[in-house]
Every structure is written in structure tokens, then in C-alpha cells.
Amino acid sequence: MVRALEDILASTSSRSDSVAISYLQLYLESLQDLLAPEKTNIPIVEDPKTGEVSLPGAAVVDIRNLDHFVELLQIGEANRHAANTKLNTESSRSHAMLVVHIQRSLKEKEENDTSSVAISDESSSRHIPLLLKSKLLIVDLAGSERIDKSGSEGHMLEEAKFINLSLTSLGKCINALAENSPHIPTRDSKLTRLLRDSFGGTARTSLIITIGPSARHYSETSSTIMFSQRAMKIVNTVKLKEEVDYETLYRKLEYQVDYLTSELDRQQKLRVNEKVHMEKELKEYEATLAEIERNFAVKSENLEKEKSHLELEIKKLKEDLNTEKASKDRMSENIIQLETSVKHNEQQQLENSLYQKVLADTTKMHEQKIVELLKQLEDEQSRSASLEKQLNETKQHLSEAQRLLQMQENIAKDIKKELSRLKEESTSQIKLLQQTNDELLSEKALIYEELKSVQEKVLYEARYRKSLEDEVLKLKKALSENNADLESRGTYGMIRSASSLGGGDAVYMPRPIKTRETISGQRDTISKIFEEVGLSNILALLRSEDLDVQIHAVKVVANLAAEDINQERIVEEGGLDALLLLLETSENTTIHRVTAGAIANLAMNGSNQGLIMNRGGARLLANVASKTDDPQTLRMVAGAIANLCGNEKLHVMLKEDGGIKALLGMVRSGHNDVIAQIARGIANFAKCESRAISQGHRKGRSLLIEENALNWMVANSTTFSASTRRHIELAFCHLAQNEENAREIISTGGIKELVRILQESSREDIRNLAKKALNSNPLFLSGIQ
């Protein structure tokens, strides 16, 4: 056990894994918890669907580390039964079972394998929780022994009988498995029921045997080896159990469909918007290109006009320049002629002095004219220079215009290339979007098919459940008369007290007087319902939304629970849990009454009493008692609590859950049947408590006295019917057996009541108890004196 846990803890992580253990022993065919010794007779529950074995009520402790486990193991070993025999000084008298539960939590992310579209952050964060469970069962079997060798006597002899009985059942199961028998007798003992998982082929199973080398034990060694040889023939195939949650799968697929539909719509909107945007950009590019072409044409025309205008101006300037040159030449010739004329005149002046004055005036005039001509020549030269400068600027403007025109042509070519590229990209994107759309549509079709199949399964289950409800409605007519008779006769009450199961004086309830024909008719009706509908389907109807169907289903379960043969199966099928849930959630008085009656019938079985208490049954019954004043409901609740009072191991828990207080509180109804059940419960409680004190299992003052039951018993011991008085007298006498209760009994006037019981009680056993209490207690004797 230690090595196994060491290996498990080394292979697990505290963040994602959890390891818990339960440690029990099978002693005298009773399953007891070694970690919580107060838990005894723990029931074994088998899941009807999966066949998995569970132990509700057993303590399950989470393991922190190996030291913690070793400490728990030592606690369990200290509580295990062992004895000294001739063969072993510490012979184990029970089979010990260590159950290790391992869980690992994983998160399986949803993935879209068929779509290339990126999933949003919201969808990618969703995940499916995956829980992996494993169970390791380690059983330390007590060795089989021969009485003549071990020398077992008395109680040890009984222990040996149960040990050999369970080992014999184990051998039968192994023989059946080795021979491939169709029936494996796992229900012959609790040991084989616990090992059902190992026998069923869903686990890897190992068997370790121990033998002794002494020749004295040859026969035991031989039989043990033959036992192991038969076990070696068994072949188990390990299988992984998977449970499919159709509702979770349905929600998952529904979410995928919704997500993919929204994604498809979003993609289509994006595609439409992108297409509109691309068309708009294309139109803008085309408009821009047209505008550029128009501007280019206008500018080209303007440049052509300007070029022609400049060419005309250049031609005109050239003509003006030629004219100016010709004029300049003529002026140069005139100047030369004038100079020649001047020289000629000067010569003539010498010759003709008469003409000097005229010549002087003429010379002066000619000089002025020459100055004017020179000035005019300078002006023409400056004008020619400006015209040449203007011509050069015009040539520069023309070259700049040609360069701009070339740039515009290049820009137009680039724009045409960009437009062609954009058209190609838009075409490829449109094709990609169309392909993505086709893929999404195909994936949507597949998911719709899966969703349709899941919906068909859900509808089938709903129709199946509806058919079961219809069958129960058909049987209502057959049940109506039977249920009316059952309610009037108190069939939902308890037939006997659970205390009779534990030995000692049995306290019986009055059984309703019925004819043999009535009982036979009721059983035939119940068996007909049981055979036609089935127990699991009847229990499923407890969750029906139809209140009438629910009430009839509870009545059927209550009548089935009245038979001992049906009680174990009702608990195994989850009937007890369904009844407790119904008692907690329903507000209907009829449901409360019949459900309390069904729980009361189940509480007649000692093995069910611990289950009822561990699952809060007493607390729920007390809650119902505090909310109703209906006498029939209070009678059923009081009867259920009275049955639980018959188990001494549950007394403390019953007090803590308010069961005793609720039982005494129902006295307020004043109804005779309710008072009778209260008196029966007090008698059961006092009798079991007295037995526990006499055996040394309990000490101290009675819990009934702590809850103020003694005053009511003294005040009402002679008030009610004969059967109720007998129960109160019996309870009073058992309380008087405990010396710790003597002072309270004396202070409430209980001595007079004991004397009255001794003299007037109709039952001899009660008179004997009163006599024994008075004679054995000195305080009572002094009080009498």
C-alpha cells in the first residue's frame, strides 16, 4: 500500500490531479470504516447502468503527501480487528480494503479543423472540461484457517466462519471466471461484490498469495497454489469507460453552429463591404485617370498654343532684328556719307569761305543728328539684347513644358499599371472569399447533420419518457382503489420497529387488520406495475413535472419499500436519493406524507438507516414536521424517526440533526396515531440506549432527558391508549436502568411512576424491568422509603 501510494504521488501533480483514499474492513460480513470507526454497516451500491461499485457514507480523505498517508494507514491499522491464535499472535480477523481514487482535470479546447477562418478570442477561450478518473483497490485478505489448528473458540469461531465464507465465495467467482461460466456469483458475499470491478474485465487485476514451507501446512499450501493456478487462467481486458453527455454535446454543437453562422454572416458582410470599397476605389481611380487624361490633353493643347505663339514671337523678333540691322546698316552708310560730305564741305570751305556760316550751321545740325542716331542705335542694341534674353527664357519654358509632359506620360503609365494590379488582386480576393464561403457552407451542413442526430436522440428520450408517463397514467385507475385502501389502512406506515433487527426486546407496531384477499390484490397490483414499468422507470417518474404522476410514483415506491426483498434494489437504483430530494424540494403535503412513509419503510432495514442519516434524512424529516400540522403527514414522519431511533449508533447524529427534538415537538398535534408513533420512537431510543450502556458502549445521562422527554413521559404515562402507555412505560423503565438518570427521574416524580408500573402494568417484562430498576439503584430505594 505504501509503495503504491509513493508511486502514485510521484506521478501526479497537485495542480491538476487529486488523490483520495478510503480505508475499510469487512468484519463479520459488515463493512466498517477504519478511518471513521463510528461508521459501520456501510452499504454497497452498484450503478445499474455502468455496474460501477461505490460505497456511499465511507470517509474519503484527500492525500497531501506520503507522510500523511502513512499516518492515516497507522490510524486504520489501530482500528482493525486482530486476535491471538495458536498460529499467529496478531491474526487479522477482517479483510482490509484500501480504495485509492485519482482524478485528473483537463481542458480540451474546441478546434475547427475544416475551416481556415481565424476564430475570435471569445470562441477560442471556450473549452470542454474533461475529467479522467481511476480507482486502485488493494485488498488485504485475512488468511483462511482450520479451527483445529488455530484453536478459535467463541466469538473468534464466528469470525473464522465469516472469513472462510467470504474466501469460499471468492473462490467460486474465480472458478466461474476460469471456466468462462455465463454466471459469476458476485452477490454471494460483500467481498465479491466489492471486487466486481476486478471480475468484470474493466480493471487490471493482480493476485498475491502467501504460503508456508512447513510440511505441517502442506494441505493449506497445496490448496492455495491450486487457487492461484485457477486465478491465472482469468484474462481481463482493460477498457476505458466513457460517458457521453448528450446535453453538453448538444450545447457544444449548437454553439458551434451559432458561431459559424455569425462568422459566415460576418465574412459575407466583410466581403460585400470590401467589394463595395474596391469598386468605389476602382471608380475613384478611373475618375482620377480620366481627370488626369483631360488635364493632360488641356495642358498639351495649351503647350501647343504657347509653342506656336512663342514661335510667332520668335519669328517676329527675328524680323524686327533684321529690320533693325538693315536700318543700322543704312544709318552707318548715312554716317559715312555725312563724314564724306563733311570732309568735302571742309575742303569746299577752304575754297569757299562765303559758305562757312552755312557750313557751320549744317555741321552743327548734322552733329546733332549723328548724336540722335547714335542714341537710337544704343536703344536698338539694348532692345535686341532684351529680345535675345526673352528668347532664351522662352526656350527654357518650352524645355520645362516638354519635361512636364514626359512626366505626365510616365505617371499615366504607372496609374494604368496600378489599376491593372488592383483589378487582379480584387479578382483573386473575390475568388478566395468565394472558396471560404463554400467551405463554411459545407462545414455548416456537417454540423447541422450532427445537431440533427443529437436532436433526434433527445427527442427519442423525451418520447420514451412520455410513453412511460402514459403507461403510469393508464395504471392510475387500477391504483386509485388500492391507494385509497392503503392510505385508509396505513399501509405506508411501518410494519415493525428497526430495533428488532438488532436483537433484544422487539417493539412491534400494530399491523392493520386486512383480509387475505385484500393483501393479495394489493400485491398483485404492485407486482403488475413493477413488471410492466420496471423499477428504474418508476424512479424516473419521481422527477416528472406532472404532480399527479409524481404522487402515484411515490405511492408505488412506498408500497414496494414495504417488502424487504425490494428495499436493497430501491437503494441501489437511487430511489433513496430521489425520495430525499423530493422531500427537500416539494411543497405538496401529499408528497411529504407518502415520501415520509416510503422512507419509514426503508428505515426498517438496519443497513438503510445509516444511509438515511448520512444523507441528511433526519434533518429533512424534522424540517417537514416543523412546517405542517397535517396528522397523517406527522404520523409518517414520526414513524420514520421512530425507526431510526432503533439504531444506537445513530443516536448522537439523530440528536444533532434535530430528530429527537422534532419527534417530541410533534406532540402538539394531539392526534392519537401521531402520539403512538412518538411513544414507539421514545421506547426504541431508550431500549437501544440502555443496551449500549449495559454493554459499555456508552456512558452519561440519556439524550432523551437532555431533550426534556422525561417530563412529558411522567405527565402522560396514563393518558393515552393501552399500546401507547406500554411504549411510554417501557421507555421509562429502560431510562431507569441507567444510574446517571436517577436524579432527574427522582426530581420529576419518577419513583411513583416506577411503583405504579410495577403494580399496574399489563406486561410482565415491563414489570420485571421496573422491579430491577427499583432494586438495583440505592437512590430509588431511599426515595421509596
Side-chain angles (χ1 to χ4, degrees):
M1 293 179 181
V2 177
R3 289 176 177 172
L5 261 294
E6 182 180 7
D7 184 67
I8 289 172
L9 293 174
S11 305
T12 55
S13 171
S14 59
R15 291 178 296 179
S16 60
D17 303 332
S18 64
V19 180
I21 67 162
S22 297
Y23 196 26
L24 309 103
Q25 69 173 352
L26 184 61
Y27 178 69
L28 297 179
E29 205 61 18
S30 174
L31 201 57
Q32 302 175 1
D33 198 325
L34 292 175
L35 301 181
E38 68 277 4
K39 296 181 179 180
T40 59
N41 204 8
I42 297 173
I44 302 172
V45 178
E46 297 178 10
D47 192 324
K49 295 181 179 179
T50 62
E52 184 177 355
V53 176
S54 60
L55 302 172
V60 180
V61 183
D62 292 329
I63 298 301
R64 298 187 299 270
N65 49 46
L66 189 61
D67 294 336
H68 181 212
F69 168 70
V70 173
E71 181 181 350
L72 292 175
L73 200 61
Q74 291 173 351
I75 294 173
E77 288 298 322
N79 293 325
R80 188 176 177 186
H81 286 276
N84 183 14
T85 66
K86 293 180 179 180
L87 296 178
N88 194 345
T89 57
E90 293 184 2
S91 175
S92 56
R93 313 307 294 169
S94 65
H95 306 295
M97 282 150 285
L98 176 69
V99 185
V100 185
H101 302 277
I102 308 170
Q103 290 188 2
R104 172 167 294 173
S105 299
L106 300 176
K107 293 182 179 180
E108 178 185 355
K109 293 185 178 180
E110 295 181 358
E111 297 180 354
N112 192 350
D113 297 332
T114 59
S115 175
S116 60
V117 182
I119 300 177
S120 64
D121 295 338
E122 180 182 357
S123 63
S124 62
S125 63
R126 293 177 64 90
H127 59 271
I128 304 173
L130 183 62
L131 186 63
L132 302 179
K133 295 182 179 179
S134 185
K135 181 172 69 174
L136 174 63
L137 182 64
I138 302 177
V139 183
D140 178 17
L141 296 173
S144 62
E145 62 181 50
R146 291 189 176 181
I147 306 303
D148 57 345
K149 291 185 179 181
S150 64
S152 299
E153 296 178 353
H155 186 64
M156 291 176 58
L157 182 60
E158 292 297 320
E159 293 174 343
K161 289 180 181 179
F162 280 103
I163 291 172
N164 292 338
L165 178 62
S166 58
L167 292 177
T168 302
S169 300
L170 178 62
K172 290 180 180 179
C173 291
I174 289 179
N175 289 338
L177 287 168
E179 297 172 359
N180 294 323
S181 175
H183 172 67
I184 310 300
T186 56
R187 289 184 172 271
D188 286 359
S189 71
K190 290 188 177 181
L191 176 63
T192 53
R193 288 184 64 192
L194 284 170
L195 296 175
R196 180 172 179 175
D197 287 342
S198 302
F199 294 154
T202 58
R204 182 176 288 109
T205 307
S206 300
L207 175 67
I208 301 174
I209 63 167
T210 56
I211 58 175
S214 174
R216 181 189 173 200
H217 305 306
Y218 173 80
S219 59
E220 288 87 349
T221 300
S222 177
S223 63
T224 303
I225 292 175
M226 292 176 65
F227 174 77
S228 64
Q229 284 180 338
R230 288 192 296 271
M232 289 175 64
K233 298 179 181 179
I234 301 173
V235 178
N236 275 4
T237 303
V238 181
K239 297 179 182 179
L240 180 64
K241 294 181 180 178
E242 295 181 346
E243 295 182 6
V244 179
D245 189 350
Y246 288 106
E247 292 183 0
T248 303
L249 181 61
Y250 175 81
R251 289 195 297 270
K252 172 187 173 183
L253 294 175
E254 190 177 30
Y255 168 75
Q256 287 182 349
V257 169
D258 293 340
Y259 169 72
L260 291 173
T261 303
S262 61
E263 185 68 18
L264 181 61
D265 294 339
R266 188 179 69 83
Q267 291 290 342
Q268 288 178 348
K269 288 180 181 178
L270 288 175
R271 185 181 63 188
V272 172
N273 294 335
E274 189 171 355
K275 185 177 180 181
V276 171
H277 181 68
M278 291 178 67
E279 290 178 352
K280 185 177 179 181
E281 287 186 350
L282 187 60
K283 288 180 180 179
E284 290 178 356
Y285 282 135
E286 290 177 352
T288 305
L289 180 60
E291 184 68 24
I292 291 172
E293 289 178 349
R294 286 196 298 272
N295 293 336
F296 179 72
V298 172
K299 287 184 178 180
S300 298
E301 185 177 356
N302 292 333
L303 288 173
E304 290 292 337
K305 289 180 180 180
E306 188 176 358
K307 183 179 178 181
S308 60
H309 179 68
L310 289 173
E311 287 177 351
L312 290 174
E313 286 185 356
I314 291 170
K315 186 177 180 181
K316 185 178 179 181
L317 288 173
K318 286 181 179 180
E319 290 176 354
D320 292 341
L321 184 61
N322 292 331
T323 304
E324 290 294 332
K325 285 182 178 180
S327 176
K328 186 178 180 182
D329 292 339
R330 285 195 302 272
M331 288 176 67
S332 299
E333 290 176 357
N334 290 331
I335 292 171
I336 293 171
Q337 288 177 0
L338 285 174
E339 289 178 353
T340 305
S341 175
V342 169
K343 289 178 180 182
H344 182 68
N345 287 333
E346 286 177 357
Q347 289 175 1
Q348 283 181 358
Q349 186 177 10
L350 292 175
E351 293 177 354
N352 192 1
S353 61
L354 292 175
Y355 295 102
Q356 288 181 352
K357 187 177 180 179
V358 177
L359 182 61
D361 294 335
T362 304
T363 303
K364 186 177 180 179
M365 183 182 64
H366 282 295
E367 288 179 354
Q368 290 177 355
K369 191 173 182 179
I370 288 169
V371 170
E372 290 177 358
L373 289 173
L374 289 172
K375 188 177 180 180
Q376 187 177 2
L377 179 61
E378 289 176 359
D379 293 337
E380 288 295 335
Q381 288 177 350
S382 62
R383 185 181 175 186
S384 176
S386 65
L387 288 174
E388 288 180 355
K389 185 178 180 181
Q390 188 176 359
L391 180 61
N392 292 329
E393 291 178 356
T394 303
K395 289 181 179 179
Q396 290 178 358
H397 285 303
L398 183 60
S399 62
E400 183 69 22
Q402 289 177 349
R403 188 178 64 80
L404 291 173
L405 184 62
Q406 184 66 30
M407 287 177 63
Q408 288 178 351
E409 290 178 353
N410 294 333
I411 291 172
K413 290 179 181 179
D414 293 338
I415 290 173
K416 287 181 179 180
K417 289 181 181 179
E418 186 67 19
L419 285 174
S420 61
R421 187 184 65 80
L422 289 173
K423 286 181 180 180
E424 292 177 357
E425 288 183 357
S426 63
T427 304
S428 61
Q429 288 182 358
I430 290 171
K431 290 181 179 179
L432 179 61
L433 289 173
Q434 186 65 32
Q435 183 180 359
T436 303
N437 186 18
D438 295 338
E439 291 177 353
L440 288 174
L441 289 174
S442 61
E443 183 177 357
K444 185 177 179 180
L446 291 175
I447 293 176
Y448 270 124
E449 289 179 0
E450 294 181 2
L451 183 61
K452 186 176 180 181
S453 63
V454 174
Q455 287 176 341
E456 288 177 355
K457 291 180 180 178
V458 173
L459 290 174
Y460 172 76
E461 292 181 357
R463 286 196 297 269
Y464 180 67
R465 185 171 181 177
K466 185 66 171 60
S467 64
L468 293 178
E469 292 180 357
D470 293 340
E471 289 181 6
V472 171
L473 290 175
K474 290 178 182 178
L475 294 171
K476 281 183 182 179
K477 187 175 181 180
L479 276 172
S480 58
E481 297 179 359
N482 179 41
N483 286 331
D485 182 68
L486 293 177
E487 290 183 357
S488 63
R489 295 176 178 272
T491 305
Y492 302 119
M494 290 55 62
I495 303 303
R496 65 176 184 276
S497 167
S499 63
S500 62
L501 301 174
D505 297 330
V507 181
Y508 289 91
M509 282 186 62
R511 183 188 296 270
I513 301 173
K514 306 179 203 176
T515 63
R516 182 176 300 176
E517 292 77 7
T518 302
I519 297 173
S520 177
Q522 293 173 357
R523 289 181 177 177
D524 291 342
T525 303
I526 296 170
S527 61
K528 179 181 178 183
I529 297 172
F530 187 77
E531 292 175 0
E532 292 185 358
V533 181
L535 180 59
S536 59
N537 295 329
I538 294 173
L539 295 177
L541 294 177
L542 295 177
R543 297 185 292 272
S544 174
E545 297 179 358
D546 188 344
L547 182 61
D548 198 16
V549 172
Q550 204 173 42
I551 291 172
H552 280 78
V554 177
K555 289 181 178 180
V556 172
V557 173
N559 283 284
L560 290 173
E563 299 293 336
D564 293 345
I565 193 173
N566 299 328
Q567 291 181 359
E568 182 178 0
R569 187 174 174 190
I570 289 173
V571 174
E572 290 178 354
E573 295 282 351
L576 178 58
D577 293 332
L579 291 171
L580 293 175
L581 179 63
L582 203 59
L583 197 64
E584 181 178 12
T585 58
S586 178
E587 299 294 335
N588 185 270
T589 303
T590 305
I591 291 289
H592 286 168
R593 181 176 71 253
V594 184
T595 304
I599 294 174
N601 287 341
L602 290 176
M604 292 188 299
N605 191 327
S607 61
N608 296 336
Q609 293 170 356
L611 286 176
I612 294 172
M613 291 299 300
N614 290 331
R615 298 177 187 179
R619 176 180 52 80
L620 295 175
L621 291 168
N623 188 33
V624 171
S626 65
K627 293 181 179 179
T628 184
D629 291 325
D630 178 51
Q632 296 302 323
T633 303
L634 292 176
R635 179 170 68 90
M636 295 300 176
V637 173
I641 296 177
N643 280 349
L644 295 175
C645 288
N647 192 333
E648 64 190 56
K649 299 176 182 178
L650 305 177
H651 284 181
V652 176
M653 191 183 301
L654 192 63
K655 179 180 181 297
E656 293 175 351
D657 289 350
I660 302 175
K661 185 176 182 180
L663 186 67
L664 297 173
M666 285 184 278
V667 172
R668 71 181 185 276
S669 70
H671 195 275
N672 290 333
D673 291 340
V674 179
I675 299 297
Q677 295 298 328
I678 295 172
R680 185 176 68 86
I682 293 175
N684 285 346
F685 196 100
K687 177 174 66 70
C688 293
E689 190 177 56
S690 175
R691 183 169 61 243
I693 291 173
S694 65
Q695 294 176 355
H697 297 162
R698 189 183 180 282
K699 294 181 180 180
R701 192 175 60 162
S702 172
L703 299 178
L704 288 174
I705 294 178
E706 293 180 0
E707 295 291 341
N708 298 321
L710 189 59
N711 292 328
W712 178 81
M713 293 166 59
V714 173
N716 297 278
S717 60
T718 60
T719 305
F720 302 108
S721 63
S723 61
T724 303
R725 288 201 307 271
R726 285 196 298 271
H727 282 132
I728 296 176
E729 292 172 354
L730 182 63
F732 196 86
C733 291
H734 278 296
L735 289 176
Q737 306 300 317
N738 184 6
E739 295 180 357
E740 300 287 341
N741 302 332
R743 296 186 183 278
E744 283 77 5
I745 292 174
I746 293 172
S747 63
T748 56
I751 295 180
K752 293 181 180 180
E753 182 62 23
L754 284 173
V755 173
R756 186 196 65 79
I757 294 172
L758 177 63
Q759 296 173 353
E760 300 178 4
S761 178
S762 59
R763 287 182 52 175
E764 184 179 356
D765 58 337
I766 298 178
R767 293 197 302 271
N768 292 335
L769 283 173
K771 182 177 180 181
K772 178 181 177 182
L774 290 171
N775 293 333
S776 61
N777 196 322
L779 291 177
F780 289 161
L781 293 175
S782 62
I784 292 173
Q785 294 173 359

